[in-house]
């Protein structure tokens, strides 16, 4: 399977704990995006990388959130001191910038539940 | 006003019906228009992509864009129960980096 993969698929944690999610994009894609999706809403943009550079962050991304893409391949999204409001589906997408269209392909998501 | 508006539904139709799904947007700078399908507890799957006004057809799916009205549509012909899902419109603009905004999604149920 050469699609976008995410790990874990589900995470249950207690309020105040730190969590880290991983995304492996389609291998030749140089752009990687993180989104958050809550029930009944579309994905909301969090941040994106072109290669290893983080080029944009949403104001939704508080100081408790950090994302990295150290070698321009996989990416991690860490949430520190989780709050119940962080419960959501976290989606990763990748695209190939050079094709001029930024068509994004999504992974299956990581569903986070904060108790 | 949201940048992209989409009726959340739910929309329920009998098998074989023609389905029409719609979005409106407010920013005339948006250039690229996409439709994604999302099954329950799965990631969105790209269905259609277009960047110009007019129609684009792919099998049972037709995407329509009217830039003058800032209105986009997805038509599904001969709808099947397997089409039951949430359909998300997404609109992008290239500002040096791409900005993509998603609609809230329309839940579609196709009854056998």
């Amino acid at each position: 399977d050469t699609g976008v993969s995410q790990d874990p698929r589900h995470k249950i944690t207690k309020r105040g704990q730190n969590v880290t999610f991983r995304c492996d994009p389609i291998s030749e894609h140089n752009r990687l995006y993180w989104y958050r999706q809550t029930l009944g809403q579309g994905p909301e943009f969090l941040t994106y990388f072109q290669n290893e550079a983080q080029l944009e962050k949403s104001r939704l991304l508080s100081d408790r959130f950090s994302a990295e893409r150290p070698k321009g391949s996989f990416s991690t999204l860490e949430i520190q001191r989780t709050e119940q409001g962080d419960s959501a589906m976290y989606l990763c997408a990748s695209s190939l910038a050079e094709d001029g269209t930024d068509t994004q392909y999504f992974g299956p998501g990581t569903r986070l539940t904060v108790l | 006003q949201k940048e992209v508006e989409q009726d959340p539904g739910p929309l329920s139709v009998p098998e074989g019906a023609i389905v029409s799904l719609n979005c409106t947007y407010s920013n005339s700078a948006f250039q690229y228009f996409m439709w994604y399908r999302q099954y329950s507890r799965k990631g969105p799957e790209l269905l259609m992509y277009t960047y110009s006004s007019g129609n684009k057809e792919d099998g049972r799916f037709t995407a329509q864009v009217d830039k003058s009205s800032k209105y986009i549509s997805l038509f599904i012909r001969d709808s099947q129960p397997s089409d039951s899902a949430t359909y998300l419109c997404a609109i992008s603009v290239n500002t040096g980096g791409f900005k993509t905004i998603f609609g809230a999604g329309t839940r579609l149920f196709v009854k056998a």
Side-chain angles (χ1 to χ4, degrees):
Chain A
D1 183 10
T2 57
V4 179
S5 62
Q6 292 186 247
D7 184 70
R9 296 291 306 278
H10 305 275
K11 180 70 177 179
I12 300 174
T13 191
K14 293 182 179 179
R15 188 177 55 184
Q17 298 295 304
N18 298 345
V19 295
T20 300
F21 309 141
R22 176 179 170 124
C23 171
D24 287 88
I26 294 172
S27 58
E28 64 268 26
H29 284 184
N30 51 7
R31 281 203 174 140
L32 187 148
Y33 300 78
W34 286 100
Y35 291 86
R36 180 173 67 187
Q37 186 178 27
T38 54
L39 194 64
Q41 299 299 316
E44 293 179 293
F45 169 79
L46 293 178
T47 188
Y48 94 92
F49 294 83
Q50 179 146 334
N51 300 310
E52 66 275 11
Q54 188 173 18
L55 297 186
E56 189 170 343
K57 293 193 292 186
S58 164
R59 57 181 171 78
L60 294 174
L61 212 66
S62 76
D63 292 345
R64 296 185 297 105
F65 288 71
S66 62
E68 294 183 343
R69 192 183 184 199
K71 296 182 180 180
S73 56
F74 73 92
S75 176
T76 57
L77 178 69
E78 181 182 18
I79 308 174
Q80 297 181 327
R81 305 181 302 282
T82 52
E83 301 172 356
Q84 288 184 325
D86 297 331
S87 296
M89 174 81 91
Y90 289 84
L91 292 162
C92 176
S94 69
S95 69
L96 182 61
E98 283 81 21
D99 77 357
T101 63
D102 198 48
T103 305
Q104 297 178 31
Y105 296 87
F106 283 82
T110 294
R111 183 168 295 279
L112 173 66
T113 302
V114 181
L115 302 175
Chain B
Q1 182 188 8
K2 291 183 178 180
E3 289 189 276
V4 179
E5 299 274 4
Q6 184 175 11
D7 185 339
L11 179 63
S12 184
V13 301
E15 183 176 358
I18 296 174
V19 176
S20 173
L21 304 165
N22 310 294
C23 284
T24 58
Y25 61 97
S26 57
N27 188 343
S28 58
F30 283 123
Q31 302 164 292
Y32 305 98
F33 308 92
M34 294 149 285
W35 285 95
Y36 286 83
R37 177 175 61 196
Q38 187 173 27
Y39 292 112
S40 181
R41 299 183 177 273
K42 303 288 187 183
E45 169 195 8
L46 181 68
L47 278 178
M48 300 284 288
Y49 172 93
T50 185
Y51 59 87
S52 59
S53 283
N55 294 351
K56 181 177 181 179
E57 189 173 318
D58 183 1
R60 295 186 296 113
F61 298 91
T62 299
Q64 187 175 80
V65 175
D66 183 346
K67 288 188 176 181
S68 63
S69 300
K70 301 189 189 69
Y71 192 86
I72 65 171
S73 300
L74 178 70
F75 298 96
I76 307 174
R77 290 182 299 280
D78 188 25
S79 56
Q80 303 295 311
S82 58
D83 294 328
S84 298
T86 296
Y87 290 80
L88 298 156
C89 63
I91 304 178
S92 289
V93 59
N94 188 348
T95 58
F98 281 91
K99 173 183 177 182
T100 300
I101 308 294
F102 284 82
T106 300
R107 292 195 69 190
L108 172 66
F109 296 94
V110 181
K111 298 171 293 185

